[in-house]
Amino acid sequence: MMQEYILGIDIGTGSTKAVAVALTGQALGVSQQHYGIDIPEPGYSEQNPLIIWDAFVQCVQEIVVKIGYAPQAFSFSSAMHSIIPVDKTGTPLAPMITWADARAENIAQDLRNSPKGEEIYRITGTPIHAMSPLCKLIWLKANNSGLFAQADMFISIKEFIWFKLFNDFQIDYSIASATGLFDILKLQWSNEACQLAGITADRLSEPVNTTYYKDNLDAATANLLGIPADTKFIIGASDGCCANLGSHTIGPGVAALTIGTSGAVRITSPVPVYNYQGMTFNYLLNQNTYVCGGAVNNGGIAINWLLKNFLQKNNLTGADYDALFNTIETVPAGSDGLLFLPYLYGERAPLWDTKTSGAYFNIKPGHTQAHFLRAALEGVCFALYDVLKTVEDASVAITQVNISGGFVGSGTWTQVLADITGKKLVVLQPEDASAVGAVYLAMQIMHPESYDALTHVNSETIIRPKQQNHELYNKTFVIFKKLYLDLKDTMHLVNNLGI
């Protein structure tokens, strides 16, 4: 019997992933296409948007073939903060600048320290950081004025895919709210932010709600994807907002925590949660719901660095990760005093310091390779705990953390996170929470009764903290925080030398 399904598409930094979900919530199939990041200069991070379009097409084609028939609808999740200068036909005039690009760090720092910084933050809800399209546009105007003037529009990767599908420049409220250019209360482009960027609002896409949809593909595109031309496409939201929905993290006292390449902690709120020092973000899930929190740069990417450089593992497999976690299990909580600052790629929340770096501290003769591995894992979890406490201090007490991302498959990693945070961790969605959240967004408007039934699903896994370990980690966390403050100036001096 054919089951109707909705296809959630998550356009990520390292891959595009499609998850087919039946109206019962059952995952029917998954397709994933990976691609790389170009680093033409230190601090740069670029991608070819056409390669990502091809990955999207391949994911759709593979799912349709695998299941044997087309989905009832599509819904999108996407990475935030990307920007592509395009002409009026949607043709890219330069590579896409990704969220990880740090070339605008000095511009962001100057704006953050200016009287205008907090005003722009409160209007847009977006941290003042090199990742934001606002700072990228200011940099582009100052450093490549020819390209800046030539571009008819500045769009994100999701807008690029949407334009390829429908020949319309449109952006959902969620992605717009992560640009640093959008007024999150008035739901329109901010005149103040646009003036800072040196553009007018007509060079940005039309903002629409996250439940907005189209169903008028042209015949050629429908044929390419192998679907009917009248299939619904829901524009969806950002990956972080979708992950909250996909992991059932809606309501007070519950946070979502995701670890992929990077990592993030998020809550939902009916109003923005402002903290200018920690610069919590405030992104829109829909016109009535804010997803507030903070993101870190160094999640799985720091662990992969460790595997490649400590264990010489270049083509990582599941067995490599299993070996890593088995090794970590041989070392007690706290790594016998060894500490790791995981800031290999600079850091976002709550430090907002692109010039920081990674560091091991308190190395003793008794520390083995296994200690270094465990300390690195603990360092990533400490960084996320730092964000969790910042969000909690600015909002309400958090009693439960719903987790998602590839790390949930590791009992070692999840237990370390539970012990460090002292929170009950719950795995509610073992599949890709962002892609599934996009599906849920579509269900809310197309099949509300099915969505309501899914919100009462029982949790699959609960991880509770070990109190003795949590007490130890709380003492260590104080040192972890102080260590960054003690080393900050030295890190900046080294960074300024370009080494």
Side-chain angles (χ1 to χ4, degrees):
M1 180 180 175
M2 290 175 54
Q3 290 190 78
E4 287 187 328
Y5 70 96
I6 295 171
L7 193 59
I9 306 284
D10 180 45
I11 308 164
T13 306
S15 70
T16 289
K17 188 173 186 179
V19 178
V21 180
L23 302 186
T24 59
Q26 176 189 0
L28 302 179
V30 177
S31 176
Q32 188 169 18
Q33 298 292 328
H34 294 269
Y35 33 76
I37 298 172
D38 299 321
I39 305 175
E41 296 182 39
Y44 283 42
S45 177
E46 298 180 344
Q47 290 178 310
N48 181 346
L50 291 171
I51 290 175
I52 300 175
W53 163 255
D54 289 341
F56 160 72
V57 171
Q58 291 171 37
C59 280
V60 174
Q61 291 173 339
E62 185 173 308
I63 285 289
V64 172
V65 169
K66 185 183 295 184
I67 294 180
Y69 51 93
Q72 184 185 60
F74 288 74
S75 187
F76 287 99
S77 161
S78 176
M80 295 171 274
H81 313 303
S82 61
I83 194 162
I84 315 164
V86 298
D87 65 18
K88 61 184 178 183
T89 69
T91 302
L93 302 177
M96 178 179 78
I97 304 174
T98 80
W99 67 267
D101 194 282
R103 70 186 77 175
E105 62 182 90
N106 290 331
I107 287 167
Q109 184 175 348
D110 289 345
L111 178 56
R112 193 161 56 240
N113 295 332
S114 74
K116 197 77 173 172
E118 185 166 359
E119 177 191 355
I120 292 297
Y121 165 70
R122 287 187 171 272
I123 290 171
T124 67
T126 304
I128 308 296
H129 186 261
M131 68 182 183
S132 79
L134 166 63
C135 294
K136 292 181 171 102
L137 285 174
I138 296 172
W139 182 94
L140 195 62
K141 184 179 181 182
N143 292 274
N144 195 338
S145 57
L147 176 60
F148 184 85
Q150 182 186 2
D152 290 290
M153 304 287 290
F154 297 99
I155 63 175
S156 70
I157 187 58
K158 191 205 281 192
E159 293 162 82
F160 178 75
I161 300 291
W162 192 260
F163 187 88
K164 293 280 286 182
L165 291 169
F166 297 108
N167 203 39
D168 271 339
F169 288 115
Q170 293 174 312
I171 183 171
D172 62 84
Y173 290 160
S174 189
I175 293 293
S177 67
T179 61
L181 298 160
F182 190 70
D183 190 317
I184 59 172
L185 297 177
K186 296 180 180 177
L187 302 181
Q188 63 187 33
W189 295 115
S190 162
N191 289 331
E192 295 88 345
C194 286
Q195 285 174 7
L196 267 180
I199 61 170
T200 51
D202 59 1
R203 297 177 77 183
L204 302 170
S205 296
E206 173 198 2
V208 296
N209 197 14
T210 54
T211 52
Y212 177 84
Y213 70 88
K214 281 183 173 291
D215 56 4
N216 57 338
L217 283 177
D218 64 66
T221 304
N223 185 59
L224 173 67
L225 298 176
I227 62 174
D230 62 353
T231 303
K232 282 186 172 64
F233 281 77
I234 291 87
I235 199 166
S238 67
D239 52 2
C241 291
C242 283
N244 264 48
L245 193 59
S247 58
H248 304 287
T249 310
I250 305 294
V254 183
L257 188 151
T258 305
I259 303 177
T261 303
S262 54
V265 177
R266 303 173 303 273
I267 62 169
T268 54
S269 172
V271 295
V273 174
Y274 294 113
N275 179 330
Y276 189 57
Q277 183 177 354
M279 278 197 292
T280 50
F281 59 66
N282 293 277
Y283 302 146
L284 286 156
L285 175 60
N286 54 49
Q287 72 268 41
N288 301 313
T289 309
Y290 296 88
V291 173
C292 313
V296 301
N297 284 354
N298 302 276
I301 196 171
I303 303 304
N304 288 342
W305 165 82
L306 202 72
L307 285 166
K308 290 178 181 179
N309 293 283
F310 274 55
L311 303 180
Q312 286 76 52
K313 300 291 186 180
N314 292 316
N315 297 306
L316 300 175
T317 66
D320 294 326
Y321 289 103
D322 290 341
L324 168 70
F325 295 127
N326 288 339
T327 301
I328 286 170
E329 286 281 8
T330 66
V331 177
S335 301
D336 290 323
L338 185 63
L339 279 168
F340 177 63
L341 296 183
Y343 310 131
L344 299 173
Y345 298 89
E347 189 53 292
R348 286 183 282 174
L351 307 183
W352 301 104
D353 186 353
T354 55
K355 296 181 179 181
T356 190
S357 58
Y360 277 101
F361 175 74
N362 195 34
I363 303 171
K364 299 286 183 69
H367 289 140
T368 65
Q369 184 185 69
H371 285 86
F372 280 81
L373 296 174
R374 183 177 183 105
L377 195 70
E378 290 174 339
V380 170
C381 293
F382 275 135
L384 286 160
Y385 184 39
D386 203 4
V387 178
L388 181 65
K389 286 181 70 66
T390 300
V391 173
E392 195 171 31
D393 290 346
S395 56
V396 297
I398 294 169
T399 57
Q400 176 177 312
V401 179
N402 296 346
I403 59 175
S404 64
F407 87 109
V408 301
S410 165
T412 302
W413 196 338
T414 54
Q415 188 61 58
V416 169
L417 182 64
D419 291 348
I420 285 177
T421 62
K423 309 293 185 184
K424 178 179 74 172
L425 307 185
V426 179
V427 181
L428 290 175
Q429 181 48 255
E431 298 296 338
D432 186 281
S434 294
V436 171
V439 171
Y440 289 175
L441 202 57
M443 280 189 181
Q444 285 180 339
I445 59 169
M446 295 180 63
H447 300 284
E449 68 292 340
S450 296
Y451 173 74
D452 289 343
L454 290 173
T455 60
H456 300 296
V457 67
N458 292 324
S459 62
E460 295 186 4
T461 307
I462 294 176
I463 305 99
R464 299 187 186 278
K466 298 175 181 177
Q467 191 58 33
Q468 183 177 353
N469 288 349
H470 179 57
E471 290 172 3
L472 171 65
Y473 281 132
N474 260 346
K475 296 174 184 176
T476 310
F477 180 67
V478 175
I479 303 170
F480 175 87
K481 291 271 289 180
K482 186 175 186 300
L483 186 58
Y484 163 72
L485 295 174
D486 290 345
L487 293 177
K488 178 180 177 180
D489 290 344
T490 305
M491 288 177 174
H492 287 196
L493 285 172
V494 174
N495 181 273
N496 291 338
L497 291 174
I499 56 176

